Amino acid sequence: MKEDITLDAARLAEKSIQKKFHKQLFTKFAKAIVEYGLIQQNDKIAVCMSGGKDSFLMAKLFQEIRRHNKFPFELEFLVMDPGYAKANREAIERNAKLLDIPVTVFETDIFESVFNIEKSPCYICARMRRGYLYSKARELGCNKIALGHHYDDVIETILMGMLYGGQVQTMMPKLKSTNFAGMELIRPMYYIREEDIKAWRDYNNLRFLQCACKFTEQCATCAPTGSKRQKMKELIRALAKDDPEIEQNIFKSVENVSLATVIAYKDKNGEKHRFTDDY
């Protein structure tokens, strides 16, 4: 009976992607893949799952698009346990079974390694997680890793770079790894809005981890507050109330950079150029 319930939940989640949320989710997922050339024939992609709503939806979207794609590619659903509390690890595995996602789980001690680091522990943790994911993906024969960053992550990153980093940059839809030759990172949820991910989650009565970090594991089902990213969310939300095109304009700003009106910029080799160089 439990198996029937599991299959029902998975099929219902899939049906909602095919029908109710097709335009908001599947269409935008496919658009990013085509527009940015994220998948090629015979790719083997490690779909990296953290336990949150974004990565679980990404896994279901990958399963859906593989059923429709015109050329072959393989998927490996990869879960890294960096030192989760037992309840969080069990929640991830339970949701994977519920949604019929065959995950491969591997363990690391990242949380222990960064727990006592005072300066930028989140940045160091993220770098280490990325490295472990690349390493495990390559071990499994993958040539790409897929992360579940979405549209809202992109525009928040643009603003964070400007307001806190003093630079104009964006979260790229794909990147070649500098440390793992032949490996690439892709972000196929690049066009998907967070509000639509939440709507899909709630429509299917699903409950995912929101923060399973060792620093905040005591409230793993609570949304993080007070972070720079949270401040960006609030700022963008406030601006969008007066002008609904604000979000789209932030996104497009890094596609419409006029070098003729930029004081200075760095080329792909990191060399800095100033407008006075050829004034």
Side-chain angles (χ1 to χ4, degrees):
M1 189 66 166
K2 286 185 178 180
E3 184 177 351
D4 291 338
I5 293 173
T6 296
L7 290 175
D8 284 347
R11 299 296 89 82
L12 286 171
E14 291 163 5
K15 185 177 180 181
S16 66
I17 289 172
Q18 296 161 0
K19 303 291 185 180
K20 184 174 179 61
F21 298 100
H22 188 272
K23 183 178 179 180
Q24 300 96 318
L25 301 178
F26 185 79
T27 297
K28 291 182 178 180
F29 189 77
K31 179 183 177 182
I33 287 172
V34 172
E35 189 163 320
Y36 296 119
L38 302 185
I39 302 177
Q40 279 78 42
Q41 185 168 326
N42 298 321
D43 275 345
K44 186 172 183 181
I45 303 167
V47 181
C48 301
M49 303 174 62
S50 63
K53 66 186 189 312
D54 307 330
S55 58
F56 264 102
L57 173 59
M58 177 174 66
K60 295 308 296 180
L61 287 167
F62 262 116
Q63 288 180 326
E64 185 66 22
I65 206 161
R66 184 170 56 178
R67 282 194 282 269
H68 297 281
N69 223 48
K70 297 180 180 179
F71 57 82
F73 64 90
E74 296 181 60
L75 298 173
E76 189 78 46
F77 299 98
L78 195 57
V79 174
M80 180 184 66
D81 181 346
Y84 289 138
K86 182 180 178 181
N88 292 334
R89 166 75 174 262
E90 290 175 349
I92 294 171
E93 293 176 330
R94 184 168 58 250
N95 278 328
K97 184 177 181 181
L98 181 71
L99 291 172
D100 195 21
I101 301 170
V103 296
T104 296
V105 183
F106 71 103
E107 298 177 354
T108 69
D109 61 353
I110 292 177
F111 283 172
E112 287 299 325
S113 298
V114 304
F115 189 67
N116 293 317
I117 295 176
E118 293 183 8
K119 188 176 181 180
S120 304
C122 297
Y123 172 77
I124 295 171
C125 180
R127 296 273 297 185
M128 291 180 69
R129 287 161 71 100
R130 186 80 52 86
Y132 274 109
L133 287 170
Y134 268 126
S135 182
K136 186 63 176 182
R138 186 166 64 180
E139 178 187 318
L140 294 171
C142 300
N143 64 309
K144 293 178 179 177
I145 66 171
L147 302 184
H149 296 118
H150 48 68
Y151 186 98
D152 296 74
D153 290 324
V154 176
I155 61 177
E156 290 158 15
T157 298
I158 294 170
L159 276 190
M160 284 174 66
M162 293 174 65
L163 300 182
Y164 294 107
Q167 58 187 338
V168 177
Q169 61 177 18
T170 191
M171 182 180 280
M172 298 297 286
K174 65 179 180 180
L175 287 170
K176 291 181 180 179
S177 174
T178 54
N179 298 317
F180 295 84
M183 297 288 290
E184 190 175 6
L185 179 156
I186 61 174
R187 294 184 170 104
M189 295 177 69
Y190 208 72
Y191 287 131
I192 296 177
R193 298 305 308 264
E194 185 174 26
E195 62 184 17
D196 293 325
I197 300 173
K198 290 178 178 178
W200 172 80
R201 176 198 64 192
D202 297 342
Y203 179 82
N204 288 286
N205 296 312
L206 298 169
R207 185 175 176 81
F208 301 114
L209 298 183
Q210 292 196 42
C211 181
C213 170
K214 191 174 182 66
F215 294 96
T216 56
E217 62 185 12
Q218 68 272 19
C219 61
T221 58
C222 304
T225 58
S227 68
K228 291 178 180 177
R229 186 166 292 277
Q230 186 62 29
K231 290 177 181 177
M232 291 302 96
K233 287 180 183 293
E234 293 167 1
L235 174 60
I236 294 169
R237 191 181 303 120
L239 292 171
K241 284 183 179 179
D242 295 327
D243 186 348
E245 293 187 359
I246 284 288
E247 294 156 315
Q248 180 179 309
N249 288 340
I250 295 172
F251 187 90
K252 287 186 174 181
S253 68
V254 291
E255 294 182 350
N256 297 313
V257 178
S258 172
L259 293 182
T261 58
V262 169
I263 299 296
Y265 69 93
K266 292 180 181 178
D267 62 24
K268 63 181 181 180
N269 298 316
E271 184 177 348
K272 193 169 184 177
H273 303 270
R274 293 184 61 84
F275 84 101
T276 52
D277 293 344
D278 57 359
Y279 182 75

